[in-house]
């Protein structure tokens, strides 16, 4: 074992020694100190090992938020295995896909119709264990001794499914090193201190909640779990457990303000972002770089959470701030060359927090790491002051007169016109130029624009060669998730001739 | 190149892009933005490469504090080479030892009698460059393009000489990964924010100043260099450059208070520890965990600076606090087994910040990493609350009735008696028990103690088998640096029979 290697299992081992009375986990009537968590994790690891969970094997969690997700993750950490908390809101068919894709050796689940159907449909042989009494009985059989498995920190330990790139979801694999590095960035930016108590009230199958759960664990703080977001219950837990932070943003905060309108609950332990006068009066407004102005930055599951932080560029021009001190960002063109400041390219990164590829997607992984850079699949640019702006997903590229044009960038320019309600951009074949840019525009009610005005507006915003040659007006833009449904738009408006097609 | 690897050269490259106007370095009339520093580092790297500085080669700095130390370190970073800022206060013979031990390809130096003599005495062939005009001319010849050398983050990049273990100093080698990891811990504990400006007024050949210099660099802040500690000049620089922090402790702070007694300088930009009413009125008292109560924790050059932090264990029982979130500590006995809480053993560690061994000391390195743990050479214990206490250096061990007894632990117990001014403990041969413990005591003026009272006091503090069998009173304890001169004590008081002898 290298003197440099620290795993999530080692972090737990340190907390067992360093925090004999430290509260690690609260979940309904479950309260576990770090030594108690350590013992349960060892028992669970022994039980999983007996079910064939050897290094590299997968364990799946199908259920709402629970302290068992942290136990399963840490047991997998001690075994060199991989834990995946799946999105329990998915349909039976979606869950079946996850089961057949990940092929877990063990599934711990909360009973539901979808889970039952998926179990019946899936071709994967796994041991299924019901969260609750069966899980407790399963764990009780294992020995409390730490498993004698040597785990190196570069091993994947957490798998989180992300949106489809090639038409099917893929599980992003995050190593011990990546999660620990990312936690350090969060500890730094959020200025987390001894006694930090995090309320896991967002979904733990999403990196946004998981990253704070893990940073709290890294620090030796307390994670309070609640099955799902319920405003009254969140208020009650913040008061009862003196929570320092919770997974909250805009609309969730408004719901809390409403739930606590009579001032029933004391939320003053919460140190969080300013939001509204009512909210600010209930909590303690935090001045850490994470909370001081706008939360966030730019991130994705594949970098363990956040790649850039607004708090590292106070007053900066870019909407995404500056990279984590552990990351290095370049804006690259499709050939892998860096583009100058002000020009749009793909956000690419290096850093200890970058993921280890997707489970079982060798071709996609090769493309994502081309040239030794993690390709985020998102577009961005450096502003003149060096800060970064996230433009949008790099879903496709138009090639016109040998110039690369990203629809997201042109759409951003179009939407900056006050009369434009929505916009999408496609490429239409052109015998001379390869492709031409076509804009489909939805106008706001009571406004009007000529095609010439649309083109002129884009030219005032970005390089002239990116301006539309054709403009069409429509009632609405078909969507696929949050982004335009480009295939449908191509079919309707004559798109085609894309590079590589 | 791995998508996970970030080197010090990459950090500089990110700041060049992300902070086009960011001030990296101030030193007298030198003011360098990050892009300018990046360009100079590339030129310097090209010049060094032309002088044979290939990966693994060493570059030596012989002089007082200077921005050139950071330039040399970063040029070495880009070349995969190793930079050593040597202690310029050393004698000609000591400098000769460093030259012949490290065998640098290039020496950049400030002219001095000792440096001149060492150069004449040393058998090492190196290119010698005077800091100043010659250095500027040397650097100007190089190209501004980044060197085409692939550097992995596990390569050593910084060498710092530490105290003798085997009778001669040894250069501790710190890798890119170790320095970056350590900086993250400092960024976290000190809650360093955008705009942080550090005054390097302690010696940069010592890890105490270097670790904050590097954390400031990691963050993209400003390092202000001053050749050596001069209270008036430090006051002037804090005001002129609006420094956030400086390398300062007790007596240095008192000197600053005196130098600024008329309130001549505005020191309010400094956010630092409370020290005295006069000091607290001059500065801004900082509430980060680094500054909130007592600064520090436990550290050594071999872990890149700090291994544990008091700020991670506010109110804890141990004098050393808790480990950095990136480290894992165990208290081990000589056989490599963990000792229970409350018992004394060697402080051992794992973590990304741990060094890569000493330059050219293979046997010592094997001993330091026995069993996959970095052996600090220092004694410590876990307190009942899990926090850590540093006892003292593990210089030697006494073996009595098969029990291990560390002199430093017994000395600490002896010195806790109010009548004891100083104390040292040796082992004397005993045919039955192997060795017996002998205490040599220096009493405070006007006090008296019987040997029985001494023994009884130790028994009230630590395990009975560690108590002295023999007590002698003396006028003084001979010293070797800060620790008792044990060989001299053995000769005077009949010590011997140590295990392994």
């Amino acid at each position: 074992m290298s003197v440099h290697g620290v795993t999530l299992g080692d972090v737990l081992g340190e907390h067992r020694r360093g925090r004999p009375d430290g509260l690690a986990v609260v979940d309904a009537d479950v309260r576990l100190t770090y030594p108690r968590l350590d013992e349960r994790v060892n028992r669970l690891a022994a039980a999983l090992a007996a079910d064939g969970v050897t290094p590299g094997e997968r364990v799946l969690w199908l259920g709402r938020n629970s302290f068992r997700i942290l136990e399963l993750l840490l047991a997998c950490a001690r075994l060199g295995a991989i834990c995946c908390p799946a999105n329990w809101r998915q349909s039976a068919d979606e869950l079946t896909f996850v089961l057949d894709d990940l092929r877990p050796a063990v599934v711990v689940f909360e009973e539901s119709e979808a889970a039952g159907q998926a179990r019946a449909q899936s071709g994967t042989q796994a041991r299924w264990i019901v969260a609750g009494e069966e899980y407790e009985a399963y764990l009780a059989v294992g020995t409390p001794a730490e498993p004698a498995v040597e785990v190196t920190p570069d091993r994947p330990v957490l798998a989180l499914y992300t949106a489809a790139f090639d038409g099917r979801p893929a599980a992003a694999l995050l190593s011990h090193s990546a999660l620990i590095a990312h936690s350090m960035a969060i500890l730094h930016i959020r200025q987390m201190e001894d006694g930090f108590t995090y309320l896991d009230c967002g979904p733990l199958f999403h990196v946004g909640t998981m990253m704070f759960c893990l940073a709290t664990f890294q620090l030796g703080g307390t994670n309070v779990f609640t099955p799902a977001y319920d405003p009254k219950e969140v208020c009650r837990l913040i008061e009862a457990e003196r929570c320092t932070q919770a997974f909250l943003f805009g609309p969730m905060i408004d719901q809390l303000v409403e739930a606590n309108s009579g001032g029933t609950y004391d939320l003053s332990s919460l140190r969080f972002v300013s939001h509204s006068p009512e909210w600010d009066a209930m909590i303690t407004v935090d001045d850490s770089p994470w909370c001081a102005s706008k939360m966030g930055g730019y991130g994705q599951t594949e970098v363990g959470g956040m790649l850039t932080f607004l708090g590292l560029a106070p007053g900066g021009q870019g909407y995404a701030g500056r990279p984590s001190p552990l990351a290095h960002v370049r804006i690259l063109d499709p050939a892998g060359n860096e583009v100058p400041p002000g020009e749009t390219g793909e956000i690419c990164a290096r850093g200890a927090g970058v993921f280890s590829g997707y489970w079982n997607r060798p071709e996609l992984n090769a493309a994502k790491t081309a040239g030794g850079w993690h390709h985020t699949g998102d577009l961005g640019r450096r502003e003149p002051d060096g800060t970064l702006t996230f433009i949008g997903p790099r879903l496709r590229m138009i090639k016109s007169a040998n110039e690369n044009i990203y629809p997201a960038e042109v759409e951003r320019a179009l939407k900056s016109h006050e009369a434009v309600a929505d916009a999408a951009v496609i490429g239409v074949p052109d015998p001379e130029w390869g492709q031409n840019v076509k804009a489909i525009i939805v106008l706001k009610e009571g406004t009007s624009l000529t095609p010439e005005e649309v083109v002129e507006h884009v030219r005032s915003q970005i390089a002239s060669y990116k301006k539309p040659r054709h403009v069409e007006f429509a009632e609405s833009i078909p969507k696929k998730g949050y982004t335009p449904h480009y295939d449908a738009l191509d079919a309707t408006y004559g798109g085609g001739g894309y590079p590589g097609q």
Side-chain angles (χ1 to χ4, degrees), chain A:
Chain A
M1 192 67 193
S2 155
V3 296
H4 301 111
V6 168
T7 64
L8 291 185
D10 293 331
V11 173
L12 177 58
E14 179 59 45
H15 292 332
R16 167 164 73 81
R17 293 167 172 84
R19 300 182 178 271
D21 302 317
L23 192 60
V25 156
V26 174
D27 188 347
D29 54 354
V30 173
R31 303 179 81 81
L32 302 177
T33 61
Y34 274 102
R36 185 88 183 93
L37 176 65
D38 182 89
E39 189 203 314
R40 287 175 56 90
V41 163
N42 284 342
R43 290 185 185 278
L44 180 57
L48 291 170
D51 270 331
V53 179
T54 50
E57 289 291 326
R58 281 81 51 214
V59 173
L60 189 69
W61 167 260
L62 279 187
R64 294 170 306 164
N65 280 359
S66 163
F67 72 104
R68 299 176 191 98
I69 296 173
L70 190 57
E71 287 190 338
L72 287 164
L73 176 66
L74 294 171
C76 286
R78 288 245 163 100
L79 295 171
I82 300 166
C83 175
C84 176
N87 182 346
W88 57 276
R89 291 175 182 149
Q90 292 178 105
S91 69
D93 284 351
E94 287 169 323
L95 291 181
T96 306
F97 171 82
V98 167
L99 282 167
D100 291 339
D101 182 55
L102 200 67
R103 301 188 307 280
V106 174
V107 181
V108 182
F109 71 112
E110 291 181 337
E111 284 171 296
S112 75
E113 201 176 315
Q117 281 181 30
R119 183 178 183 176
Q121 286 173 20
S122 163
T124 299
Q125 290 301 313
R127 166 91 185 248
W128 286 67
I129 297 155
V130 184
E133 280 176 31
E134 189 178 348
Y135 174 83
E136 288 300 317
Y138 182 71
L139 178 151
V141 175
T143 70
E146 200 168 313
V149 179
E150 191 159 300
V151 180
T152 56
D154 59 344
R155 269 202 174 274
V157 61
L158 175 66
L160 294 176
Y161 273 88
T162 65
F165 279 94
D166 56 357
R168 49 185 190 150
L173 301 176
L174 291 152
S175 70
H176 297 260
S177 305
L179 295 174
I180 289 172
H182 190 274
S183 287
M184 278 310 296
I186 294 285
L187 291 180
H188 163 49
I189 304 293
R190 176 52 185 81
Q191 299 186 340
M192 289 166 70
E193 294 187 28
D194 193 67
F196 197 91
T197 299
Y198 188 64
L199 177 56
D200 296 84
C201 59
L204 278 161
F205 57 77
H206 188 277
V207 77
T209 301
M210 182 57 91
M211 70 185 189
F212 268 102
C213 173
L214 290 175
T216 303
F217 167 70
Q218 185 80 17
L219 185 70
T222 305
N223 271 291
V224 179
F225 297 90
T226 186
Y229 184 72
D230 173 278
K232 277 270 176 218
E233 175 65 1
V234 164
C235 288
R236 190 190 69 74
L237 283 168
I238 291 170
E239 177 180 281
E241 305 299 341
R242 309 297 300 146
C243 297
T244 324
Q245 194 170 306
F247 181 83
L248 297 172
F249 57 89
M252 296 169 88
I253 295 179
D254 291 331
Q255 289 172 14
L256 282 196
V257 168
E258 202 187 314
N260 196 33
S261 58
T264 319
Y265 300 101
D266 174 6
L267 309 186
S268 63
S269 64
L270 206 72
R271 299 183 64 93
F272 208 53
V273 280
S274 169
H275 178 72
S276 63
E278 297 81 0
W279 173 248
D280 294 2
M282 287 178 187
I283 65 155
T284 305
V285 174
D286 187 64
D287 64 355
S288 74
W290 178 256
C291 292
S293 53
K294 267 184 75 175
M295 271 198 306
Y298 164 77
Q300 59 174 200
T301 305
E302 291 85 345
V303 297
M306 306 302 296
L307 181 64
T308 72
F309 292 98
L310 280 166
L312 288 172
Q317 296 167 334
Y319 300 125
R322 286 205 181 88
S324 155
L326 288 168
H328 188 193
V329 169
R330 294 239 177 123
I331 308 296
L332 302 182
D333 71 15
N337 300 310
E338 191 171 11
V339 304
E343 287 194 18
T344 297
E346 185 167 359
I347 302 173
C348 294
R350 277 188 191 146
V354 172
F355 80 147
S356 311
Y358 301 104
W359 168 255
N360 202 19
R361 301 282 191 279
E363 286 177 29
L364 183 55
N365 291 340
K368 293 291 279 186
T369 55
W373 288 93
H374 166 59
H375 287 60
T376 62
D378 285 321
L379 300 173
R381 68 165 178 259
R382 288 262 179 202
E383 302 298 346
D385 69 352
T387 58
L388 293 158
T389 292
F390 162 65
I391 306 280
R394 196 212 58 179
L395 296 168
R396 56 182 8 187
M397 198 177 74
I398 296 165
K399 197 130 190 166
S400 182
N402 226 25
E403 295 279 9
N404 302 324
I405 301 164
Y406 300 105
E409 189 186 8
V410 185
E411 288 160 7
R412 200 184 169 91
L414 289 164
K415 287 183 205 166
S416 73
H417 193 289
E418 55 183 12
V420 173
D422 201 359
V425 161
I426 59 171
V428 293
D430 181 281
E432 192 175 353
W433 306 110
Q435 287 184 292
N436 279 324
V437 175
K438 178 183 260 192
I440 298 101
I441 305 283
V442 180
L443 290 173
K444 287 183 185 162
E445 269 193 45
T447 66
S448 68
L449 268 180
T450 66
E452 292 71 27
E453 286 170 329
V454 169
V455 172
E456 193 47 46
H457 176 72
V458 172
R459 184 148 56 179
S460 76
Q461 302 283 311
I462 53 177
S464 176
Y465 68 84
K466 299 173 185 171
K467 69 179 185 292
R469 295 245 166 187
H470 312 284
V471 177
E472 292 206 31
F473 295 94
E475 291 298 308
S476 68
I477 307 279
K479 292 287 162 91
K480 195 174 174 181
Y482 293 104
T483 57
H485 193 320
Y486 288 111
D487 291 340
L489 286 163
D490 283 344
T492 308
Y493 297 100
Y498 294 95
Q501 270 190 351

